[in-house]
Amino acid sequence: MHPIIHVTLGKEYPISCYRLSFILFALVVSSSAYLLGRRKGLDGMKMFVIIAAAGIGTFLGSRIFFLLTEGGVAAINVSSIFDWHLLGFSLYGGLILAGVLVLLSCWGLGLNPWMTGDAFAPGLGLGLALVKTGCFLNGCCFGKATSLPWGVSFPPGSQAHDFQILNGSVFLFTRTVQLHPLQLYEALAALSGALGAALILKKNQDSSGLAILFMFFWFTIWRWFLLDFRAPVPKPPLDSQIFPWIYGAILFLTGILALVLVKKRTKQRA
């Protein structure tokens, strides 16, 4: 766990790894989407608009969904939404709203939404891996106890340590028991999804839509599977109940859309 890194540029500057991971996420997703979009022949200025829509959707969706699941409608207000401390986000709220805004922007700008979505797929996987690595360094989103050899232990002062003190699992100045490195599991899921999306784009130049659908399907199915590895931290009822439904809906929708695209492509080749 290294929540703060120190960069020396004549003077020492402390940088939050968690916040840095969000900045890297934005840079990686934006730059890779623009470059892949241009390679596919998409207009550069239109891609800037699409990327801006995706960024706005990611920030607003993840913040609003976090506030909604944690505190209900009463927790949503202008000051809480536009809190620039880069804390309090719900990943899938951001992905869903970003997807909706990108789709609407594509229709308004006359871009192929499937081709545009594919341009985001590899970078999205890499960006998600960076965010989950930031969670690991920050010590949040930790897993439950494990006896497996790759289990990790967090120091006093970490969120995992505070949780285990409350549960009576550790003492004040001892490290936590070994935990599943859940954040790294999700980072590996995102990286493998990025690799799969890149291979789809490389081997199937005309398979518009399959790369982004694969990325969403692959990462979501792993997120759902890894729910059982999360530490049993008390959550508001809405938070604990809604995510399986969201994951199930995304898997169903992406699976159906992929089958439709494959069937359409097969007919065109026949």
Side-chain angles (χ1 to χ4, degrees):
M1 174 181 159
H2 297 280
I4 303 294
I5 59 174
H6 297 272
V7 178
T8 303
L9 296 172
K11 183 180 178 182
E12 192 172 84
Y13 296 94
I15 301 176
S16 164
C17 289
Y18 186 70
R19 292 179 176 87
L20 179 61
S21 70
F22 278 91
I23 295 170
L24 292 175
F25 169 84
L27 292 174
V28 167
V29 176
S30 299
S31 58
S32 64
Y34 180 81
L35 293 174
L36 280 176
R38 295 293 291 143
R39 185 178 297 177
K40 287 175 169 290
L42 299 175
D43 180 80
M45 289 304 298
K46 291 182 179 180
M47 281 303 299
F48 276 123
V49 175
I50 295 295
I51 290 169
I56 293 170
T58 300
F59 178 82
L60 291 179
S62 56
R63 176 59 60 76
I64 291 172
F65 198 76
F66 172 83
L67 294 171
L68 182 64
T69 55
E70 292 290 322
V73 177
I76 301 175
N77 55 66
V78 174
S79 61
S80 59
I81 292 174
F82 294 100
D83 181 351
W84 298 101
H85 288 89
L86 294 182
L87 296 171
F89 293 101
S90 181
L91 174 62
Y92 270 76
L95 293 178
I96 292 170
L97 184 57
V100 171
L101 292 185
V102 166
L103 180 60
L104 293 175
S105 299
C106 285
W107 285 342
L109 295 171
L111 292 178
N112 183 325
W114 291 124
M115 187 180 295
T116 305
D118 279 352
F120 279 89
L124 178 60
L126 180 56
L128 289 173
L130 290 169
V131 168
K132 299 314 297 183
T133 302
C135 289
F136 178 75
L137 295 174
N138 188 53
C140 59
C141 308
F142 49 91
K144 60 173 59 172
T146 180
S147 59
L148 293 172
W150 56 80
V152 294
S153 177
F154 292 94
S158 63
Q159 293 184 31
H161 184 260
D162 293 343
F163 170 71
Q164 291 191 1
I165 284 180
L166 292 175
N167 282 357
S169 303
V170 296
F171 296 106
L172 188 60
F173 299 110
T174 59
R175 296 180 66 90
T176 68
V177 300
Q178 297 292 103
L179 304 174
H180 279 288
L182 178 65
Q183 312 94 323
L184 299 184
Y185 293 166
E186 294 186 348
L188 288 174
L191 279 178
S192 58
L195 178 60
L199 290 175
I200 290 173
L201 291 175
K202 182 178 180 180
K203 294 185 178 182
N204 303 277
Q205 296 296 327
D206 59 340
S207 60
S208 294
L210 291 182
I212 189 63
L213 289 176
F214 170 81
M215 183 64 234
F216 268 96
F217 186 92
W218 178 260
F219 188 67
T220 299
I221 201 167
W222 275 105
R223 284 273 294 195
W224 199 353
F225 171 73
L226 290 171
L227 281 177
D228 288 337
F229 291 81
R230 289 185 177 274
V233 178
K235 290 283 187 179
L238 182 60
D239 185 286
S240 58
Q241 294 171 7
I242 198 171
F243 282 102
W245 287 97
I246 290 176
Y247 296 155
I250 290 175
L251 292 177
F252 176 79
L253 182 60
T254 53
I256 291 296
L257 289 173
L259 289 175
V260 170
L261 289 177
V262 170
K263 186 176 180 180
K264 181 180 177 181
R265 183 179 165 207
T266 302
K267 284 184 177 180
Q268 289 175 344
R269 289 183 171 182

